[in-house]
Amino acid sequence: PDSVSGRVSLGGRFLMADLENLTVDFRFRDKHLYLDSIYGIALGSCALEGRAEFDLGVKPERYSASLDLANFNLKNMVSHAFPSDLSGHLELRGRSLKNDSLVLTIAAELSESTFDDYPIQHGTGLMEITTRSITFPDTFFISYFENEFAISGLVEYSRNIHLAVRAHLANLDRYRGKLFLDQPGGRGFGEATLTGPTRDPHLDGYFVSDSVWLYGLQGGSCDISFHV
């Protein structure tokens, strides 16, 4: 036949993904696989719903997807990536189904999530993900309650990092018990860069505030430059 269509319930491994309990309405025609409806559990405990399309007639393969997801851990797709628990909406474009040449370009609209144990209440922007790195080609915006961050740059999972961060910290109290800092509070603005080996990067930047306290010490104002 010129085309095949139907509904399947999937478990096991399909293309590059581990599937636990996924239901898919599909069509296959002219080397294009259309997943018109996807819902269920995949990639560990990730709940997802959406649609996708694969062009299997070109090398490397190309594909796209529009997905709502919850509890997505990037490590379940890219083993060297940072642990994460991401929820929200993704518009994805991909190239290649092989690990060594995989490229995912993702426009993300994240709701409450965590990335490498850092809390996110809302995040929006572009990411480019490979099996070796994650890149923020434009500014990726993250907020956690009143605190806002703008991030750009490159993180190689096993090699180097070059990341620029701009932070408007309107309420540091939100991070009590969530960061390595003891009893943070107050507000401020800072910019920083992380460079060098990803697992032990150099941190350079500054922080200014008219009201801040840390480790039980309160200051009316501060202007700090740091090189760590």
Side-chain angles (χ1 to χ4, degrees):
D2 293 336
S3 64
V4 177
S5 63
R7 170 176 289 186
V8 293
S9 295
L10 299 173
R13 188 164 185 85
F14 176 70
L15 298 175
M16 58 185 179
D18 289 319
L19 312 177
E20 278 66 39
N21 183 14
L22 203 67
T23 299
V24 176
D25 293 324
F26 73 92
R27 294 175 291 128
F28 183 75
R29 182 175 182 178
D30 296 331
K31 297 184 180 180
H32 280 72
L33 176 61
Y34 303 92
L35 307 183
D36 297 316
S37 174
I38 308 167
Y39 61 92
I41 306 296
L43 296 166
S45 59
C46 176
L48 58 85
E49 182 175 357
R51 62 185 185 275
E53 177 183 343
F54 294 80
D55 183 353
L56 304 177
V58 297
K59 292 295 181 181
E61 303 86 352
R62 295 182 180 271
Y63 43 95
S64 61
S66 178
L67 299 170
D68 293 311
L69 49 79
N71 308 121
F72 171 54
N73 187 350
L74 183 58
K75 281 184 71 69
N76 289 332
M77 178 176 284
V78 181
S79 60
H80 298 299
F82 297 105
S84 57
D85 184 353
L86 305 176
S87 299
H89 181 79
L90 304 182
E91 293 290 331
L92 179 151
R93 289 183 291 110
R95 185 173 72 248
S96 180
L97 297 172
K98 297 180 179 178
N99 281 342
D100 59 352
S101 54
L102 172 74
V103 180
L104 302 176
T105 301
I106 297 174
E109 191 78 24
L110 300 178
S111 54
E112 192 160 339
S113 303
T114 62
F115 187 82
D116 199 24
D117 293 329
Y118 288 95
I120 299 169
Q121 194 175 39
H122 181 256
T124 183
L126 286 175
M127 299 179 282
E128 185 174 279
I129 297 171
T130 73
T131 55
R132 297 173 298 279
S133 66
I134 178 169
T135 303
F136 303 99
D138 298 316
T139 303
F140 196 93
F141 295 97
I142 292 173
S143 63
Y144 185 65
F145 294 95
E146 304 92 334
N147 304 296
E148 299 177 345
F149 302 84
I151 300 170
S152 60
L154 165 72
V155 181
E156 296 174 322
Y157 311 129
S158 302
R159 299 184 62 188
N160 296 313
I161 183 173
H162 194 287
L163 206 62
V165 181
R166 187 172 67 253
H168 291 269
L169 302 169
N171 186 0
L172 282 166
D173 294 70
R174 296 291 191 183
Y175 292 103
R176 293 198 175 198
K178 298 183 180 295
L179 298 177
F180 61 91
L181 298 173
D182 184 48
Q183 300 179 31
R187 58 183 177 266
F189 172 82
E191 292 187 344
T193 58
L194 292 94
T195 57
T198 300
R199 297 300 175 184
D200 187 22
H202 308 295
L203 176 62
D204 300 278
Y206 70 90
F207 176 78
V208 294
S209 172
D210 60 1
S211 177
V212 67
W213 57 91
L214 295 171
Y215 300 96
L217 301 175
Q218 183 174 1
S221 63
C222 71
D223 187 338
I224 302 171
S225 295
F226 49 87
H227 308 278
V228 181

